[in-house]
């Protein structure tokens, strides 16, 4: 659903500003966002008329009075404002249709002015409970946060969150203010990924406000941003994002000029973007057709499979593919980021002929299977590496054998790093098939584990040990690494993601350079089975049978394979077990 918070020009009323906005873009808006001070009567007659006619309301209740004084959160929680709350409850109940209700927009900015985070939570819960006592059943409780992913703002969000029993939707206000310039997806992704990775994904998400400024160095940047927004949303990049409500407001010193008509090109692009979303939301979705042109190639104890997306998407967005091997029925599900039309299945038996079928899934369900691929026989490995528990591995730093596996760090030692490498390099391999069980737990949540492919020619050694903290014990070791990262450091996209690291920032060695990342993964601070396949210059990473990352990669001529992990000021146990490594 699309929404807007309109601005009033001159003597316009809110109703007139909405009508003008809709006339400008050539369509009706699904959601209307409006703001009310504490002691104003809402919903007003114009809002009520819009809601009864079928448009949805998002109402933000601001904690200041019309005379400019602040309503203290403790005062609300203590019952001193109950007459105001009860009056608002009666008006919303009388409307008779669902209304998204937000109290105190972006409360992070009001801590200290209106009260403490704990007092905000108490105030929110008191309003919620008062509405329930007054018999209100149509309020959809939707707190709106800044959506900033710095450590301090995340800590504020966690302290301000009223609790699942008091929240129906979660909303935030992301903006591209142009410094640096970010695409729509990159503007939205950090907080979206953090929410989904940290247990909030059971609630639907909303952008209560969002906006973009013009780029003075690129006259089409804002128009291109709207085009990219339409592509991102219709491609299903953010499946839990259900409402996007634009902040159509002019320039302010602290904010920016977010109006949709800042240039004719921007207005045309925004209008087209709205039509794209309207079409996507009104066309019935059926299951997709079968993928075509399925082809398989052999790799070390594994196979790589490619296909062409179905021409019939069922009028929906393809959200995943499942590849199944025959015989045996082993499968992998490709979760994204889509579009991805390649996958790898590991732990196959060399010499056994396999064929593969592929199905596509959208919001309506899973379509029919493709025709079977050509038959391939997984390659017998030219080299295998024994499990670290079998002996012969070079362990460095805090790495040790414990609990039937290789433990790289413990839960107590801060700023530690551990690595372990098989000391014999593998030379001339074109493919690898690797699987292992990963455990990250027991501490205070940092920093992650890496599977390292060390480049011997560039100086990687079996005794190599990289930086602690965000360096994951790998930063500084030549080559590349597949990272299971559980803490948000300087260059990280989120606090729970799988990434392909190809280097580090020389100015800050603990900041890794990411060639590809994916937060489409379950919480990594738990036991997981990981497979990594490199075949034909492509890297495939799966977590518990879910393929989460695909990227091009170049194997070193001579490769040292090993594991690395580290802690910073926060700690965790990082361990791997049941390790199988083969190369062909």
């Amino acid at each position: 659903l699309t929404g807007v918070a309109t601005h009033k020009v001159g003597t316009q009323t809110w109703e007139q500003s909405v009508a003008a906005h809709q006339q400008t873009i050539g369509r009706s808006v699904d959601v209307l966002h409006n703001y009310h001070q504490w002691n104003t009567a809402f919903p007003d007659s114009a809002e009520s008329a819009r809601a009864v006619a079928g448009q949805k309301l998002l109402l933000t209740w601001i904690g200041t009075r019309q005379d400019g004084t602040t309503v203290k959160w403790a005062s609300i929680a203590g019952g001193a404002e109950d007459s105001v709350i009860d009056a608002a409850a009666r008006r919303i109940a009388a409307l008779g249709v669902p209304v998204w209700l937000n109290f105190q927009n972006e409360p992070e900015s009001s801590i200290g002015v209106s009260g403490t985070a704990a007092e905000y939570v108490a105030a929110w819960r008191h309003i919620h409970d008062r509405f329930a006592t007054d018999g209100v059943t149509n309020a959809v409780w939707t707190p709106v946060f800044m959506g900033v992913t710095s450590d301090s703002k995340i800590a504020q969000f966690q302290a301000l969150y009223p609790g699942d029993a008091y929240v129906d939707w979660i909303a935030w206000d992301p903006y591209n203010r142009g410094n640096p310039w970010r695409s729509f997806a990159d503007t939205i992704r950090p907080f979206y990924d953090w929410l989904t990775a940290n247990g909030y994904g059971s609630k639907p998400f909303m952008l209560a406000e969002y906006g973009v400024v013009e780029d003075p160095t690129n006259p089409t940047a804002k128009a291109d941003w709207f085009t990219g927004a339409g592509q991102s949303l219709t491609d299903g990049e953010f499946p839990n994002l259900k409402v996007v409500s634009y902040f159509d407001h002019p320039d302010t010193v602290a904010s920016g000029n977010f109006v949709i008509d800042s240039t004719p090109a921007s207005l045309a692009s925004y209008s087209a973007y709205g039509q794209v979303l309207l079409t996507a939301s009104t066309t019935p979705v059926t299951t997709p057709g079968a993928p075509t042109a399925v082809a398989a190639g052999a790799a070390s104890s594994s196979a790589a499979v490619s296909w062409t997306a179905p021409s019939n998407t069922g009028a929906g967005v393809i959200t995943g593919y499942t590849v199944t091997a025959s015989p045996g029925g082993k499968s992998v599900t490709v979760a994204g980021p889509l579009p991805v039309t390649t996958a790898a299945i590991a732990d196959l038996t060399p010499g056994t002929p396999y064929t593969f079928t592929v199905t596509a899934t959208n919001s309506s369900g899973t379509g029919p299977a493709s025709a079977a691929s050509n038959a391939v026989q997984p390659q017998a490995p030219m080299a295998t590496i024994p499990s670290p528990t079998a002996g012969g591995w070079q362990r460095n730093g805090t790495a040790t054998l414990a609990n039937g596996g290789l433990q790289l760090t413990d839960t107590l030692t801060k700023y530690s790093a551990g690595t372990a490498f098989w000391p014999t390099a593998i030379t001339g391999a074109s493919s690898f098939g690797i699987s292992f069980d990963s455990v990250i737990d027991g501490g205070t949540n940092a920093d992650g584990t890496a599977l390292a492919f060390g480049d011997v020619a560039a100086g990687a050694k079996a005794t190599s040990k990289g930086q602690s903290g965000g360096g994951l014990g790998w930063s500084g070791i030549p080559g590349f690494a597949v990272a299971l990262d559980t803490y948000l450091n300087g260059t990280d996209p989120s606090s729970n993601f799988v990434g392909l690291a190809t280097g580090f920032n020389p100015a800050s060695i603990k900041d890794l350079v990411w060639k590809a990342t994916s937060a489409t993964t379950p919480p990594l601070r738990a036991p997981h089975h990981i497979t990594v396949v490199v075949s034909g210059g492509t890297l495939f990473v799966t977590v518990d049978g879910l393929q989460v990352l695909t990227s091009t990669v170049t194997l070193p001529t001579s490769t040292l394979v090993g594991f690395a992990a580290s802690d910073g000021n926060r700690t965790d146990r990082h361990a791997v077990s049941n390790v199988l490594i083969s190369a062909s």
Side-chain angles (χ1 to χ4, degrees), residues 9 12 27 33 42 59 123 144 151 171 174 221 230 251 303 339 373 546 581:
V9 178
Q12 272 185 338
R27 63 157 291 188
H33 186 184
F42 69 92
L59 300 179
V144 178
D151 284 353
D251 178 67
S373 73
L546 186 71
I581 303 173

Side-chain angles (χ1 to χ4, degrees), residues 62-88:
I62 300 170
T64 55
R65 301 181 181 89
Q66 289 175 294
D67 62 6
T69 58
T70 297
V71 182
K72 297 295 185 180
W73 294 335
S75 175
I76 295 171
E81 301 290 332
D82 282 357
S83 61
V84 176
I85 297 170
D86 292 343

Side-chain angles (χ1 to χ4, degrees), residues 4-86:
V4 68
T6 59
H7 70 283
K8 292 176 282 190
V9 178
T11 59
Q12 272 185 338
T13 63
W14 175 79
E15 167 61 28
Q16 290 169 335
S17 74
V18 171
H21 176 90
Q22 294 185 149
Q23 182 177 12
T24 298
I25 66 172
R27 63 157 291 188
S28 177
V29 177
D30 303 309
V31 179
L32 299 171
H33 186 184
N34 205 11
Y35 305 82
H36 291 277
Q37 291 177 299
W38 181 253
N39 55 343
T40 57
F42 69 92
D44 60 26
S45 58
E47 291 167 334
S48 297
R50 289 277 179 181
V52 170
Q55 289 179 290
K56 298 173 174 59
L57 297 179
L58 165 61
L59 300 179
T60 288
W61 200 359
I62 300 170
T64 55
R65 301 181 181 89
Q66 289 175 294
D67 62 6
T69 58
T70 297
V71 182
K72 297 295 185 180
W73 294 335
S75 175
I76 295 171
E81 301 290 332
D82 282 357
S83 61
V84 176
I85 297 170
D86 292 343

Side-chain angles (χ1 to χ4, degrees), residues 302 330-332 344-347 432-437 451 482 484 498 528-534 539-549 580:
S302 58
K330 283 191 176 181
S331 66
V332 61
I345 296 185
D347 300 331
F432 277 85
I434 300 173
S435 65
F436 60 94
D437 292 333
L451 169 65
V482 175
L484 312 177
V498 173
H528 294 292
H529 183 67
I530 312 297
T531 66
V532 177
V533 173
V534 180
L539 172 82
F540 306 89
V541 183
T542 69
V543 178
D544 298 333
L546 186 71
Q547 184 171 294
V548 297
L549 186 69
L580 298 173

Side-chain angles (χ1 to χ4, degrees), residues 259-270:
V259 292
I260 60 173
D261 58 352
S262 48
T263 68
S266 294
L267 175 58
S269 181
Y270 182 87

Side-chain angles (χ1 to χ4, degrees), residues 77 108 201 241 316 328 352 371 398 400 418 450 452 480 561:
E108 299 97 322
L241 186 59
T352 298
T398 54
T400 186
F480 64 87
V561 180

